Amino acid sequence: MMLMLVSVLSACVRSDSGSSQSSSNSDGSGSKDKITLRMTVWGAPEEVDAYKFGIQRFEEKHPHIKVELQHIAADYDTKLTTMVAGNDVPDIAMMESGSIAYPLAEQGKFLNLQQFLDNDPDINVDSFVPNITYSLEPGNVIGIGPGPESFVLFYNEDIFKEAGVAPPPTKVSEAWTWDEFVEVAKKLTIDTKGRTANDPDFDPKNIKQYGVSVSTWWGVYSNFIYSNGGDFVSEDGTRFTLNEPAAVDALQKMSDLMNVHHVAPSPVQAKNIPATNVALQTKKVAMVIDGQWASAGLAQSKFNFNVGVMPVLEEPVTTVVCAMFSIFESTEHPQEAWELMKALIDPEASLEMITSGTWMPSYKDWYTEPELLARWTENLDARPSGYKEAVVDVILAHGHQTPTGYVKNFNKIMDIVNPALDKVWLGQQTAQEAMDSIAAKAQEQVQGRRDVK
């Protein structure tokens, strides 16, 4: 019996010892246990290729980790919501601040990334371009953008040369005022008989070339609301403010481009205007206010385009928009998921997408250190001569977070605002009339700000 007891105890020791070794050396060569991280993303094929490249680099550095990438090409929010409801949750996911990210965060579905940012030896909040972290409330970071996107004034250089008009400035200090911008747009708006919008006989119903194209979604007009000192809600988050003077003035100026000055297509007319790259190349428009991501398509179109700073009302501003990576609270491997997020945010992992013009780097030093800056801004078709001053300098010094990142219940508010603004863009109501008409209803949806404790 003694011999049997010794034998059993010996076997238990060997078993425990082997189990302990397995937890850290599962392959018997001193490596860590094999684990799998699941990740969901959306995006065009070239974007998915960039994610795959970043994952490959990550797996080479962490051979014990396998990343399963799930590309959800359509109905991303619906499918991810279904996955969450069925407890089939990835470790890390691409999220959009304007849709399901905050509803999920309010349910406690995401890890607070502040804990990693506070303790990581490699990066912290100051490592990033401003305005690409998203918080449920101060101190609770739910997502980090893999790269910022800003807004810019694109233009066809040949149109300006042929018209003998000075091109848009690239330096913020030299930015056009709104009135200067309108006057230039008039000179470059031409009807079918060759008359500009300055001509008394100009025919606004038969325009061959518009001076500017300005989209009417909030991403574009927010730039001018912020530039004019306005906002969607008050600083304390208690009041709807799109019906207040600063915001109303900016919205009315946008409408006047279409309905008073006739230098920009209305939403109805815009249906016949192609995408930014084609519109500029074919001289349907002389200038376009769009996100810098349009640089990729413009570069592929092979014509003389350039960029300048947007016109300024009171202060120069560019709204910064981007998707985010979030880590689900249910992950069994939080530190490994954080390391994967870091690998995907690293500009080295997506350099091809950055140099093509689609993305911009997330790390601030890629904007401030000359050698890193040169890698994605010099000698590239997607980065014309005005890019550094008009885009890089502006996003660092004059960026403003997207309203989806700090206005609580933003989508519900905009569900009320957007139909009213449709009447403004069509010239059926003034901005003041439209915003006053829905102010009380919009106020009912105001729930505060995420950047205020």
Side-chain angles (χ1 to χ4, degrees), residues 212-376:
V212 64
S213 177
V214 184
S215 176
T216 55
W217 71 290
W218 61 260
V220 172
Y221 65 70
S222 66
N223 290 277
F224 303 115
I225 289 175
Y226 295 142
S227 177
N228 214 28
D231 207 330
F232 292 77
V233 295
S234 58
E235 288 187 5
D236 62 2
T238 63
R239 194 174 70 255
F240 173 74
T241 56
L242 287 185
N243 66 328
E244 296 185 2
V248 164
D249 181 55
L251 293 169
Q252 190 62 52
K253 281 180 165 59
M254 286 265 298
S255 175
D256 288 350
L257 291 176
M258 309 166 203
N259 301 297
V260 176
H261 307 301
H262 304 291
V263 297
S266 70
V268 174
Q269 295 163 330
K271 292 178 180 178
N272 298 317
I273 303 294
T276 292
N277 60 322
V278 179
L280 285 175
Q281 182 183 27
T282 58
K283 300 184 179 180
K284 295 290 185 183
V285 297
M287 300 178 285
V288 178
I289 293 176
D290 203 346
Q292 82 80 41
W293 56 83
S295 300
L298 288 162
Q300 294 170 4
S301 297
K302 302 295 182 183
F303 72 101
N304 295 324
F305 82 96
N306 214 323
V307 295
V309 289
M310 291 183 294
V312 171
L313 296 177
E314 294 295 332
E315 298 290 338
V317 172
T318 184
T319 302
V320 180
V321 296
C322 60
M324 70 179 89
F325 285 123
S326 299
I327 299 175
F328 276 90
E329 189 273 339
S330 57
T331 181
E332 296 180 357
H333 311 288
Q335 187 61 45
E336 289 84 353
W338 169 250
E339 294 299 327
L340 174 58
M341 179 182 288
K342 284 171 56 181
L344 294 167
I345 289 173
D346 185 349
E348 294 284 2
S350 54
L351 190 57
E352 186 173 338
M353 290 297 294
I354 292 171
T355 56
S356 73
T358 303
W359 293 352
M360 298 172 73
S362 58
Y363 286 174
K364 191 187 298 181
D365 56 4
W366 280 68
Y367 296 72
T368 57
E369 294 187 12
E371 290 185 4
L372 292 175
L373 178 61
R375 291 181 62 187
W376 66 282

Side-chain angles (χ1 to χ4, degrees), residues 126-141:
D126 292 333
S127 303
F128 304 124
V129 175
N131 302 303
I132 67 169
T133 59
Y134 292 88
S135 298
L136 184 63
E137 59 187 8
N140 187 352
V141 178

Side-chain angles (χ1 to χ4, degrees), residues 38 40 72 76-90 93 95 100 103-105 107-110 328 330:
R38 293 176 57 208
T40 58
I72 302 175
Y76 184 90
D77 288 354
T78 301
K79 291 177 181 177
L80 188 60
T81 300
T82 301
M83 291 168 63
V84 172
N87 291 319
D88 180 25
V89 184
M95 302 299 301
I100 64 170
L104 288 177
Q107 296 172 31
K109 297 296 185 181
F110 297 136
F328 276 90
S330 57

Side-chain angles (χ1 to χ4, degrees), residues 41-53 69 71-73 352-353 358-359:
V41 300
W42 67 77
E46 59 270 20
E47 293 177 291
V48 178
D49 287 342
Y51 298 135
K52 288 179 179 178
F53 178 71
L69 179 65
H71 175 221
I72 302 175
E352 186 173 338
M353 290 297 294
T358 303
W359 293 352

